């Protein structure tokens, strides 16, 4: 009995030892297997064009999962690559899982193999992948994605520099993702996207989403123009009939291509007689006149010419040409323009501003302007006409008109009736007293006139006989600006001097020029004034010459304001008295 019990205990000890060794070996093998790099595939059977995700993972945080995937690119295209690390702590023990995810797309259908990869002496196991061919369309069925193109207008002729429209419609089903379409690239031509409109439509009994785009194309030269085919690529996610639940997949890649278009671009027609080629669907010209209520000589009036064209960008609108304009000077401003669109055609708008300065009183006629253009809708030349506009110009307030000469009128002889007998002699006393007062009044007027003339001759014989310190400082600044040839500084300094010490008391250069009798100085002042209106400055202007002319004018004897007027007749002169 004792021997039997001893044998039984020895057997249990051996069994327990075997179990302990088996458990330790299992843990050791299990730990080594988990530490190695493993490869998982989300699917082992796909359809041509679909993608598959390869996941390489290890629990060794120090493991580098970078390796050479050149052998994979023989049958697969690598679309995406990303890495991620997951850390966790369980019962105080920290673990890490490192993953490398590759998204690949098979290059062909058939039985493919994902080869083994080496990670510093540790290799993954090859994985077999079945790629089924893409489904074929039934006869007469429409593809899930296709492109339609259309020209507007549908029929030519199409002219060089004239806009024509290109309509691109992309039809796609609701389960299309990652869609991208190429842009039209005709050469040589410029392309402008006008509008993009999404909507839904039905084709062949199937419901499609539609993305419609309108492009404006401007051919840059005549001849053959080719619009290459536009390509669309995306992924079509199809629901399989095997079950309701589907894993999230990227779908299979599909491609669609439009038809290429060939056009003949016509040159400028020989029968077009205009100087500037402006092809448009429509062109209109209008104007705006801005002036004061009372326009006077030397005061500018602004004429703004507006041109609106359909089918022309603003940079293609040409400035209208003015005929010669007498008794006025024209200063064009920098044109301003903008290009908009209505979703189908570009709308060019351009404004041309002109400052017109009249030099003579009376009627000022802003002339008629004409713009020749080619109507691409009716294939004919047309002329846009801006009618003339008449303004009345009043005399300048600084140069009063010449007074008319007062002709002496004979004083009719008045017969004095005889004094009646018996009238008091006091009437003769009042007659003599009235004559005395009249004589004294005339004498006072004559003395005042002589005193004023002598005072002006003494105090104003020269313009620079007595210059104040303030005026001397302003003249010094003006001379410095003229010597340096700085037109802007000269213009500013001259305006400051005119405002303080000028003959008009105003800072207007035009008003100062209007009273000058020196033609060279007047031309110099006009040149400074035009600097604010002209786009291009005249290089012939000399600041030193302008200063000499101004100094010579200042040092000349002053001219009496009434010297240019006709003398008034002395009604009290002996020859004018009866």
């Amino acid at each position: 009995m004792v021997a039997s019990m001893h044998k039984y205990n020895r057997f249990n000890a051996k069994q327990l030892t075997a179990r302990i060794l088996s458990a330790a070996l299992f843990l050791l093998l299990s730990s080594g297997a988990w530490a190695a790099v493993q490869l998982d595939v989300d699917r082992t059977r796909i359809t041509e064009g679909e993608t598959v995700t390869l996941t390489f993972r290890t629990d060794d945080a120090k493991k580098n999962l970078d390796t050479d995937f050149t052998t994979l690119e023989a049958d697969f295209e690598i679309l995406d690559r990303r890495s991620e690390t997951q850390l966790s702590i369980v019962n105080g023990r920290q673990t890490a899982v490192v993953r490398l995810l590759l998204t690949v797309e098979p290059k062909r259908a058939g039985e493919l193999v994902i080869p083994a990869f080496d990670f510093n002496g540790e290799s993954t196991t090859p994985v077999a992948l079945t790629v089924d061919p893409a489904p074929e369309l039934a006869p007469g069925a429409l593809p899930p994605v296709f492109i339609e193109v259309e020209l507007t207008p549908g029929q030519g002729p199409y002219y060089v520099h004239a806009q024509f429209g290109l309509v691109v419609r992309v039809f796609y089903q609701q389960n299309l993702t990652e869609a991208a379409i190429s842009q039209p690239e005709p050469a040589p031509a410029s392309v402008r996207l006008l509008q993009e409109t999404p909507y839904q439509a039905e084709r062949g009994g199937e419901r499609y989403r539609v993305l419609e785009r309108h492009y404006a194309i401007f051919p840059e030269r005549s001849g053959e123009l080719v619009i290459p085919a536009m390509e669309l690529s995306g992924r079509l996610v199809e629901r399989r009939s095997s079950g309701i639940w589907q894993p999230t997949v990227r779908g299979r890649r599909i491609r669609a291509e439009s038809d290429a278009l060939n056009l003949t671009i016509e040159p400028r027609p020989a029968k077009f007689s205009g100087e500037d080629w402006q092809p448009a669907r429509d062109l209109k010209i209008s104007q705006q006149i801005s002036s004061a209520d009372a326009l006077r000589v030397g005061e500018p009036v602004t004429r703004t010419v507006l041109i609106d064209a359909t089918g022309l960008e603003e940079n293609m609108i040409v400035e209208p040409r003015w005929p010669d304009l007498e008794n006025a000077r024209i200063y064009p401003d920098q044109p301003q323009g903008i290009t908009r669109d209505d979703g189908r055609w570009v709308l060019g708008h351009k404004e041309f501003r002109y400052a017109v300065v009249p030099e003579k009183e009376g009627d000022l006629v802003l002339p008629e302007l004409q713009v020749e253009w080619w109507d691409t809708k009716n294939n004919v030349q047309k002329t846009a006409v801006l009618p003339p506009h008449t303004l009345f110009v009043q005399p300048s307030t600084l140069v009063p008109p010449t007074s008319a000469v007062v002709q002496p009128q004979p004083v009719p002889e008045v017969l004095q009736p005889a004094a009646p007998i018996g009238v008091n002699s006091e009437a003769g006393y009042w007659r003599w007293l009235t004559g005395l007062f009249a004589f004294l009044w005339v004498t006072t007027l004559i003395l005042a006139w002589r005193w004023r003339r002598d005072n002006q001759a003494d105090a104003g014989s020269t313009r620079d006989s007595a210059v104040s310190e303030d005026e001397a400082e302003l003249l010094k600044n003006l001379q410095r600006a003229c010597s340096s040839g700085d037109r802007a500084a000269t213009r500013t300094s001259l305006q400051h001097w005119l405002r303080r010490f000028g003959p008009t008391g105003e800072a207007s250069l035009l008003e100062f020029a209007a009273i000058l009798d020196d033609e060279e100085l007047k031309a110099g002042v006009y040149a400074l004034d035009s600097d604010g209106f002209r786009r291009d400055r005249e290089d012939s202007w000399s600041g030193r010459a302008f200063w000499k002319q101004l100094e010579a004018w200042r040092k000349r004897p002053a001219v009496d304001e009434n010297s240019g007027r006709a003398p008034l007749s002395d009604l009290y002169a002996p020859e004018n008295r009866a």
Side-chain angles (χ1 to χ4, degrees):
M1 181 69 179
V2 173
S4 176
M5 289 295 296
H6 179 72
K7 183 178 179 181
Y8 175 78
N9 290 335
R10 187 173 54 183
F11 174 79
N12 287 341
K14 290 182 179 179
Q15 188 178 17
L16 180 60
T17 302
R19 289 182 177 179
I20 293 174
L21 291 176
S22 298
L25 179 62
F26 174 79
L27 292 174
L28 180 63
L29 294 176
S30 176
S31 175
W34 180 244
V37 179
Q38 295 184 352
L39 171 61
D40 295 330
V41 181
D42 61 344
R43 292 174 297 157
T44 58
R45 190 181 191 91
I46 62 175
T47 303
E48 185 180 8
E50 293 182 349
T51 62
V52 63
T53 301
L54 312 181
T55 303
F56 300 88
R57 61 186 176 88
T58 179
D59 65 343
D60 186 358
K62 300 180 180 180
K63 195 71 172 180
N64 186 5
L65 294 183
D66 290 337
T67 188
D68 185 10
F69 294 103
T70 304
T71 56
L72 182 64
E73 296 178 350
D75 293 327
F76 297 88
E77 179 182 356
I78 301 177
L79 302 179
D80 186 37
R81 176 174 179 168
R82 67 185 187 275
S83 300
E84 59 184 31
T85 301
Q86 180 181 355
L87 298 176
S88 61
I89 300 177
V90 179
N91 297 327
R93 183 171 177 269
Q94 179 177 339
T95 60
V97 178
V98 181
R99 295 185 180 89
L100 173 64
L101 294 90
L102 297 182
T103 302
V104 298
E105 179 181 346
K107 295 182 178 180
R108 59 183 177 87
E111 297 294 335
L112 305 181
V113 176
I114 301 174
F117 298 99
D118 179 72
F119 296 91
N120 295 328
E122 297 180 358
S123 299
T124 59
T125 303
V127 178
L129 181 66
T130 302
V131 181
D132 297 328
E136 296 183 359
L137 293 174
L142 292 175
V145 179
F146 61 95
I147 305 175
E148 291 181 356
V149 292
E150 179 186 355
L151 294 177
T152 55
Q155 300 294 331
Y158 306 103
Y159 290 99
V160 62
H161 297 161
Q163 176 199 345
F164 67 86
L166 175 66
V167 183
V168 180
R169 301 182 183 93
V170 180
F171 291 80
Y172 61 98
Q173 294 180 346
Q174 296 183 6
N175 49 6
L176 180 66
T177 62
E178 301 181 20
I181 184 173
S182 62
Q183 300 299 315
E185 297 179 349
S190 60
V191 180
R192 181 188 181 109
L193 176 62
L194 302 182
Q195 190 178 41
E196 182 176 282
T197 305
Y199 58 92
Q200 295 186 4
E202 186 173 327
R203 290 288 190 278
E206 294 288 339
R207 197 70 177 173
Y208 287 87
R209 288 185 176 181
V210 185
L211 181 63
E212 182 174 295
R213 291 180 174 178
H214 288 259
Y215 296 90
I217 300 181
F218 295 88
E220 296 178 357
R221 65 168 178 255
S222 58
E224 294 297 324
L225 179 66
V226 178
I227 302 178
M230 285 167 286
E231 297 182 354
L232 180 141
S233 63
R235 294 195 173 276
L236 188 64
V237 181
E238 296 175 316
R239 178 178 296 277
R240 304 181 188 275
S241 59
S242 58
I244 298 177
W245 181 84
Q246 292 285 328
T248 302
V249 294
R250 297 183 64 180
R252 66 182 179 91
R253 183 186 297 274
I254 59 173
R255 292 179 174 86
E257 190 176 86
S258 69
D259 296 330
L261 300 177
N262 295 279
L263 297 86
T264 300
I265 306 301
E266 302 292 339
R268 168 177 170 168
K271 58 182 179 181
F272 181 74
S273 60
E275 296 185 12
D276 301 303
W277 172 242
Q278 298 186 91
R281 302 278 293 181
D282 188 23
L283 191 145
K284 297 179 180 179
I285 186 171
S286 59
Q287 67 178 349
Q288 295 176 354
I289 307 296
S290 61
S291 63
D293 296 337
L295 180 62
R296 298 184 179 276
V297 173
E299 298 178 353
V301 57
T302 302
R303 185 188 199 187
T304 304
V305 180
L306 311 174
I307 298 181
D308 292 278
T310 303
L312 273 184
E313 294 182 321
E314 61 90 9
N315 60 325
M316 305 171 67
I317 300 177
V318 182
E319 181 176 0
R321 290 175 172 81
W322 282 57
D324 294 336
L325 189 61
E326 297 181 357
N327 301 324
R329 290 174 287 120
I330 304 175
Y331 301 100
D333 198 358
Q334 185 71 25
Q336 303 292 330
I338 188 174
T339 300
R340 298 183 293 268
D341 66 82
D342 60 359
R344 300 294 185 271
W345 301 94
V346 298
L347 306 175
H349 173 82
K350 204 158 191 178
E351 299 181 0
F352 303 92
R353 291 184 176 87
Y354 307 89
V356 182
V357 181
E359 297 178 334
K360 185 179 179 181
E361 60 185 274
D363 289 338
L364 173 63
V365 180
L366 302 180
E368 174 185 280
L369 301 181
Q370 296 184 356
V371 176
E372 302 292 337
W373 62 286
W374 185 264
D375 186 352
T376 57
K377 184 190 303 184
N378 301 308
N379 199 27
V380 65
Q381 179 178 348
K382 290 186 177 180
T383 303
V385 179
L386 183 66
H389 188 84
T390 302
L391 300 170
F392 180 74
V393 181
Q394 299 181 9
S396 174
T397 56
L398 300 178
V399 183
T402 304
S403 302
V405 177
V406 180
Q407 298 295 337
Q409 299 294 332
V411 179
E413 182 177 357
V414 180
L415 298 178
Q416 299 293 337
I421 301 175
V423 176
N424 195 340
S425 60
E426 186 179 357
Y429 167 78
W430 285 110
R431 183 182 302 111
W432 284 106
L433 186 60
T434 302
L436 176 62
F437 279 113
F439 173 77
L440 294 176
W441 178 71
V442 173
T443 303
T444 303
L445 290 179
I446 294 175
L447 293 176
W449 174 76
R450 288 184 176 181
W451 175 83
R452 181 182 179 186
R453 182 188 62 181
D454 295 340
N455 187 43
Q456 290 179 347
D458 295 338
S461 59
T462 59
R463 287 183 174 85
D464 61 339
S465 59
V467 180
S468 64
E469 294 182 1
D470 293 341
E471 184 177 7
E473 183 65 23
L474 292 177
L475 292 175
K476 183 178 179 180
N477 295 336
L478 178 58
Q479 182 181 8
R480 186 183 303 111
C482 292
S483 300
S484 62
D486 190 342
R487 296 180 64 168
T490 302
R491 176 186 175 93
T492 303
S493 299
L494 181 58
Q495 288 177 330
H496 289 169
W497 179 79
L498 289 175
R499 186 181 294 110
R500 293 282 305 278
F501 304 101
T504 63
E506 300 290 340
S508 172
L509 299 184
L510 290 178
E511 294 180 355
F512 177 52
I515 66 172
L516 293 175
D517 54 357
D518 188 335
E519 295 299 329
E520 293 185 358
L521 180 58
K522 180 184 295 187
V525 175
Y526 280 149
L528 285 178
D529 177 69
S530 64
D531 182 54
F533 295 98
R534 292 187 181 274
R535 286 174 283 178
D536 301 326
R537 298 182 176 181
E538 299 177 359
D539 297 334
S540 60
W541 182 83
S542 173
R544 297 181 182 275
F546 178 77
W547 172 253
K548 292 181 180 180
Q549 295 167 1
L550 181 63
E551 276 292 276
W553 174 82
R554 289 184 59 254
K555 294 180 179 180
R556 283 191 305 182
V559 180
D560 189 5
E561 295 179 356
N562 298 326
S563 59
R565 303 181 183 178
L568 298 177
S569 299
D570 188 359
L571 300 180
Y572 298 96
E575 60 272 15
N576 292 331
R577 288 185 294 178

